[in-house]
Amino acid sequence: MSNNCGREKEKLIMYQAFDKMQRHFPMSAGDGAYSYSRNSQLQREVLDGAKEMVRDAIIEKLDIKSLLSASINTFRIIDLGCSIGPNTFSAMQHIIEAVKDKCHYQFSADSSNIIPEFQVFFNDHVNNDFNTLFRSLPVDRSYFAVGVPGSFHGRLFPSGSIHFAHSSCAIHWLSKLPEMLLDEKSPAWNKGLIHYVDAANTAVVNAYVAQFDKDMEIFLSARAEEIVPGGMMVLVSPFSGYRYLKFFGSSLMDLVNEGMLDESLVDAFNVPVYFPSPEDMTKVVEKNGCFSIERIELTYPQSKLVDEADAKSLMTNLRAVLEGVFINHFGSKIADEAFSRTILKSEDISAWMKANYEKPCQLFVVLKRK
């Protein structure tokens, strides 16, 4: 481990005191009409758009021989921010099939014992709906499944125990809202808005960037301890699409104008997500110093929801993702009213989507542990 990696241990210790300040907002639980398990098509599109790139990274960059031996024949995979399915199961099986193919490439084709056993760790916050997740585990899975509750903004596994880490549609979630956004006297006070995307104030954007940098510093330090040398990490994150958050913000302001909600509550509310650019990610990885960047780029996958301006499905998907954040701040009654009103605006939102079409875009990153 390099000196830079060694210093990361001190940062992890410092973060433990900060960890208690984190806020955990899992996806909508269960299998009801607005649950994540029934409304995660958008996230499935992100996964599908990255599948071949994940396979290519494993085939071209992952050295199975160096990771496994006669005494270590279990390949361990983690999915960070797995939520409650079904997308995580598809992603994990795809990774396993690619690793199996790489084994055949690296070892003699007539060997019957070249395929390792697989152990998959499904990780998410402690209040994630693990019951629904494990009730829906595929019966024909080719791996041993384990649940790991806890924030990925910190250590989760013993040192040198993981061979492959995966995270899709998760790393853009901040560990907490930037403190500057909570101070009415701060230059980053985001009055009337609920996210940085539409903010004209650069101080708002800078506050989000600073929190993302801090979170990723801890995230990478933790993974550097857990992933074996030569192990791989694949991160996939949306880069566009959350400009639709403003429609939820407009519904909140409708409630303000009708006297159903205090405007100060809206002013004090911001969604804790930041969508990193390749430059953002390159900066934090290079600062960490424990990973080599094997691939980093913006990709442009197809999206039925966006391309067809299916606003109702898109808003319902976003509700499944954001409902916990809204309920925590406004309570369930106001949150339900805001989401219901936004979905009722689907025709207007669809028209706006068509007039302001923006091709879906996502960040794809492949890192290798030095």
Side-chain angles (χ1 to χ4, degrees):
M1 183 178 293
S2 69
N3 291 334
N4 191 36
C5 290
R7 287 196 297 269
E8 299 305 316
K9 293 181 180 179
E10 299 174 9
K11 297 173 185 175
L12 288 174
I13 294 172
M14 291 172 61
Y15 189 77
Q16 290 174 356
F18 168 76
D19 183 65
K20 64 183 180 181
M21 298 174 64
Q22 293 187 78
R23 307 303 298 270
H24 303 155
F25 304 110
M27 307 299 97
S28 295
D31 58 0
Y34 295 114
S35 65
Y36 183 86
S37 62
R38 292 178 60 179
N39 297 283
S40 54
Q41 299 97 315
L42 191 63
Q43 293 80 1
R44 182 57 179 262
E45 290 176 345
V46 171
L47 279 174
D48 289 345
K51 274 186 174 181
E52 286 309 307
M53 293 184 292
V54 173
R55 176 181 170 79
D56 290 345
I58 291 171
I59 298 298
E60 296 172 11
K61 303 289 186 178
L62 193 63
D63 185 356
I64 303 297
K65 277 188 176 181
S66 70
L67 299 180
L68 301 177
S69 66
S71 60
I72 303 175
N73 197 42
T74 301
F75 192 90
R76 297 183 178 90
I77 305 167
I78 56 175
D79 193 24
L80 300 160
C82 65
S83 191
I84 56 176
N87 294 337
T88 184
F89 304 133
S90 173
M92 294 303 97
Q93 191 59 42
H94 180 74
I95 290 169
I96 288 171
E97 293 305 319
V99 171
K100 287 180 178 179
D101 287 345
K102 182 59 181 283
C103 287
H104 285 295
Y105 293 154
Q106 281 200 273
F107 299 92
S108 59
D110 58 350
S111 296
S112 59
N113 61 346
I114 62 173
I115 302 300
E117 292 187 302
F118 292 92
Q119 188 172 29
V120 175
F121 299 90
F122 294 96
N123 159 255
D124 214 308
H125 289 304
V126 294
N127 48 357
N128 181 60
D129 186 1
F130 284 100
N131 288 331
T132 295
L133 174 73
F134 286 111
R135 277 199 301 266
S136 55
L137 269 172
V139 295
D140 59 345
R141 64 188 181 277
S142 58
Y143 53 84
F144 298 96
V146 182
V148 181
S151 170
F152 57 51
H153 293 115
R155 284 289 297 278
L156 294 166
F157 301 95
S159 297
S161 60
I162 301 299
H163 300 101
F164 193 98
H166 172 270
S167 185
S168 179
C169 297
I171 63 164
H172 58 280
W173 281 92
L174 302 177
S175 67
K176 63 172 187 174
L177 198 64
E179 294 178 7
M180 290 182 66
L181 298 178
L182 304 177
D183 182 0
E184 187 174 355
K185 298 179 181 179
S186 165
W189 181 250
N190 200 20
K191 182 175 176 59
L193 299 174
I194 67 171
H195 196 235
Y196 72 86
V197 168
D198 293 313
N201 185 351
T202 57
V204 174
V205 179
N206 291 340
Y208 272 93
V209 172
Q211 187 64 49
F212 173 79
D213 287 350
K214 184 175 182 179
D215 287 346
M216 283 304 297
E217 181 178 14
I218 301 301
F219 175 91
L220 292 170
S221 297
R223 303 295 84 78
E225 291 289 334
E226 298 162 352
I227 298 174
V228 300
M232 182 174 287
M233 179 159 58
V234 171
L235 308 173
V236 188
S237 176
F239 185 66
S240 64
Y242 273 71
R243 57 193 184 135
Y244 306 113
L245 283 172
K246 67 181 184 180
F247 295 110
F248 296 111
S250 69
S251 292
L252 289 171
M253 291 307 297
D254 289 344
L255 296 175
V256 170
N257 294 332
E258 294 171 22
M260 297 177 61
L261 179 63
D262 192 313
E263 186 173 2
S264 64
L265 282 175
V266 179
D267 292 340
F269 176 71
N270 289 271
V271 179
V273 293
Y274 177 76
F275 307 101
S277 68
E279 293 75 20
D280 291 326
M281 190 61 68
T282 298
K283 181 179 71 172
V284 295
V285 173
E286 290 181 347
K287 180 181 178 182
N288 173 265
C290 299
F291 294 89
S292 62
I293 299 175
E294 302 297 322
R295 183 172 180 177
I296 185 166
E297 63 182 284
L298 292 178
T299 62
Y300 300 88
Q302 289 186 330
S303 171
K304 183 177 181 181
L305 297 185
V306 176
D307 291 345
E308 297 182 7
D310 185 357
K312 185 174 182 179
S313 296
L314 180 59
M315 294 299 118
T316 304
N317 265 236
L318 291 176
R319 173 175 182 160
V321 171
L322 299 169
E323 193 164 38
V325 182
F326 276 68
I327 290 175
N328 179 74
H329 188 83
F330 297 106
S332 56
K333 182 177 179 181
I334 290 296
D336 180 68
E337 183 68 23
F339 285 122
S340 298
R341 288 184 179 221
T342 304
I343 292 172
L344 288 174
K345 299 175 183 178
S346 293
E347 288 189 12
D348 292 338
I349 297 173
S350 291
W352 183 90
M353 291 172 68
K354 291 174 182 177
N356 298 273
Y357 178 78
E358 182 180 82
K359 190 171 180 59
C361 181
Q362 65 191 36
L363 177 66
F364 181 78
V365 182
V366 178
L367 306 177
K368 197 169 184 178
R369 181 67 173 90
K370 293 180 180 178

